[in-house]
Amino acid sequence: MKDLARFSRGASESAKAAPASRNATASQSVPQVQLLTISDEEAGQRIDNFLLRVCKGVPKSHIYRVLRSGEVRVNKGRIDQTYRLAEGDVVRVPPIRVAEKQETVVPGAEFRILLEDSHLLVIDKPAGVAVHGGSGVSYGVIEQLRAARPQAKFLELVHRLDRDTSGVLLIAKKRSALTNLHDQMREGTTDKRYFTLVQGDWKNARQHVKLPLFKYSTPDGERRVRVQADGQPSHTVFSLLRRFGDFALLEAELKTGRTHQIRVHLSSSGFPIVGDDKYGDFALNKALQKADGRRIAFKRMFLHAWRISFRHPESGDTVTLKAGLPQECASFLRSLEGGEEGELLPYGMLACAEG
């Protein structure tokens, strides 16, 4: 359990209460008051979000409790949870002790880089890797990048991809870049495109799907989404790229960015994504995991973030980045057509994406 008894006491009172006979080892385990000076990269964020990052492992309820109690001070003055930090602010963080637990060792990892400069790191995320830890996952891409780059002062996800979705993933290296790109996404000025393979006889060359999406949790706590009248407005544009027998390869263009948007829009329209273990055709997925004649086995979800366009947060220039279709997806498509060589995608999409 978290020990919050000291939150309501000043540092001097705590010192008087401490027994003089404590040994050096014990004294090292006692939490101390921290005075933290806000850097340029930390400026602009709310004090509650800052404390949640600094006090890792401390529940949100405890963070807000010490904020309300006045134990947290900025420049020696009381503040509330909505205060936004400025460069040079000195934050007093009270002593917070948590029960000791074994730390998860995060193995550092790098991923294929599509772009890197002083503001951004853009990678091609493989399928099967979570973008961050949580919900039964000890660590993800962002934790692995931080472990591999201990010198990096700031690394934060700009957006997210589902664990089983591969492709273009943006990471900010400056807070200013993070807020700028978030603003662009809220304004709808970014352009995100995905490749996906669905089962069914897709008819239209271009199809708008506008179905409201509602987020909920299953009894075991798993996050899910369904179409519901009072859900969030959601809009995806699908373009038919090519048919492969009973399957259709589509490009999905996100007009809004809701959780599981592409997956639920397609499933609810009667075209489940191949390999989707939440909203797909489970019998089909199981059958495709085994090879059948020339068709090879396929054991992932066929959803790949292949292209993104945005304004660079520093220069304002338009940046377009592409990630080629993963080899396992390309090989599966070729096996559906009997292994024949030739263009898998129209307009050279595959070739230019792999450049």
Side-chain angles (χ1 to χ4, degrees):
M1 294 294 293
K2 313 300 184 290
D3 181 2
L4 300 174
R6 300 187 185 277
F7 286 168
S8 59
R9 304 175 187 171
S12 59
E13 182 182 347
S14 297
K16 291 177 182 178
S21 61
R22 285 183 178 171
N23 59 34
T25 301
S27 65
Q28 290 175 2
S29 67
V30 177
Q32 304 293 320
V33 169
Q34 298 182 72
L35 295 177
L36 306 177
T37 301
I38 300 302
S39 68
D40 173 60
E41 289 304 319
E42 294 166 327
Q45 62 184 310
R46 281 175 36 151
I47 182 66
D48 52 353
N49 292 328
F50 173 76
L51 291 172
L52 286 168
R53 290 188 60 208
V54 170
C55 305
K56 293 187 183 299
V58 178
K60 285 185 178 181
S61 59
H62 294 178
I63 294 294
Y64 289 111
R65 188 180 304 170
V66 297
L67 279 167
R68 289 193 299 270
S69 74
E71 292 280 342
V72 178
R73 301 288 178 108
V74 176
N75 303 327
K76 299 184 179 181
R78 294 186 63 150
I79 41 82
D80 65 21
Q81 66 193 45
T82 64
Y83 178 80
R84 289 196 177 274
L85 295 165
E87 182 180 1
D89 277 352
V90 178
V91 181
R92 177 191 186 274
V93 181
I96 301 176
R97 185 165 65 200
V98 299
E100 291 187 10
K101 61 180 181 180
Q102 186 174 359
E103 291 293 327
T104 300
V105 177
V106 178
E110 291 284 355
F111 302 88
R112 188 167 83 88
I113 296 173
L114 303 176
L115 170 71
E116 182 169 13
D117 57 26
S118 60
H119 287 71
L120 291 172
L121 170 63
V122 186
I123 65 168
D124 183 1
K125 185 189 87 68
V129 181
V131 294
H132 60 75
S135 300
V137 179
S138 298
Y139 55 83
V141 168
I142 194 65
E143 290 86 5
Q144 289 185 286
L145 284 171
R146 288 169 181 160
R149 300 171 175 227
Q151 76 286 356
K153 294 181 179 180
F154 188 91
L155 286 175
E156 292 288 348
L157 294 165
V158 174
H159 62 112
R160 289 166 171 77
L161 293 177
D162 293 339
R163 182 175 184 174
D164 294 325
T165 302
S166 54
V168 184
L169 181 67
L170 274 60
I171 295 111
K173 296 172 69 175
K174 291 179 178 289
R175 181 161 297 280
S176 57
L178 180 67
T179 56
N180 179 283
L181 288 163
H182 280 172
D183 288 343
Q184 291 186 49
M185 290 179 177
R186 277 193 296 271
E187 294 163 3
T189 57
T190 57
D191 185 352
K192 290 193 282 187
R193 310 282 181 106
Y194 292 70
F195 288 141
T196 187
L197 187 71
V198 299
Q199 182 193 35
D201 185 17
W202 188 276
K203 297 292 187 183
N204 298 332
R206 187 171 171 85
Q207 177 71 50
H208 290 257
V209 176
K210 297 179 180 180
L211 295 171
L213 299 179
F214 177 80
K215 286 193 291 187
Y216 67 100
S217 295
T218 62
D220 59 0
E222 188 177 2
R223 182 180 61 175
R224 291 293 182 92
V225 177
R226 62 176 176 245
V227 173
Q228 189 167 301
D230 60 349
Q232 291 182 304
S234 306
H235 182 190
T236 314
V237 182
F238 296 99
S239 297
L240 176 63
L241 300 178
R242 186 173 175 182
R243 293 186 178 87
F244 292 84
D246 295 331
F247 303 94
L249 183 66
L250 308 176
E251 181 190 56
E253 177 185 350
L254 288 177
K255 295 297 186 181
T256 55
R258 312 302 183 197
T259 300
H260 298 168
Q261 177 174 317
I262 296 172
R263 300 166 68 176
V264 178
H265 273 180
L266 285 170
S267 176
S268 298
S269 301
F271 297 90
I273 295 177
V274 168
D276 188 340
D277 64 357
K278 282 186 171 66
Y279 309 102
D281 183 322
F282 307 129
L284 172 68
N285 295 344
K286 184 176 181 180
L288 293 179
Q289 289 178 9
K290 296 180 180 180
D292 183 11
R294 290 188 175 183
R295 179 184 59 73
I296 64 174
F298 191 69
K299 300 180 180 181
R300 58 159 288 185
M301 180 170 65
F302 203 121
L303 184 59
H304 176 71
W306 88 275
R307 195 185 85 171
I308 190 168
S309 294
F310 56 92
R311 297 189 311 274
H312 193 279
E314 181 183 35
S315 67
D317 295 337
T318 299
V319 178
T320 298
L321 298 170
K322 302 172 183 177
L325 196 64
Q327 185 58 50
E328 66 269 22
C329 294
S331 296
F332 180 69
L333 292 180
R334 292 205 184 281
S335 74
L336 290 178
E337 58 180 8
E340 297 177 10
E341 292 299 322
E343 287 288 336
L344 280 174
L345 300 169
Y347 317 120
M349 284 181 171
L350 183 61
C352 70
E354 291 179 329

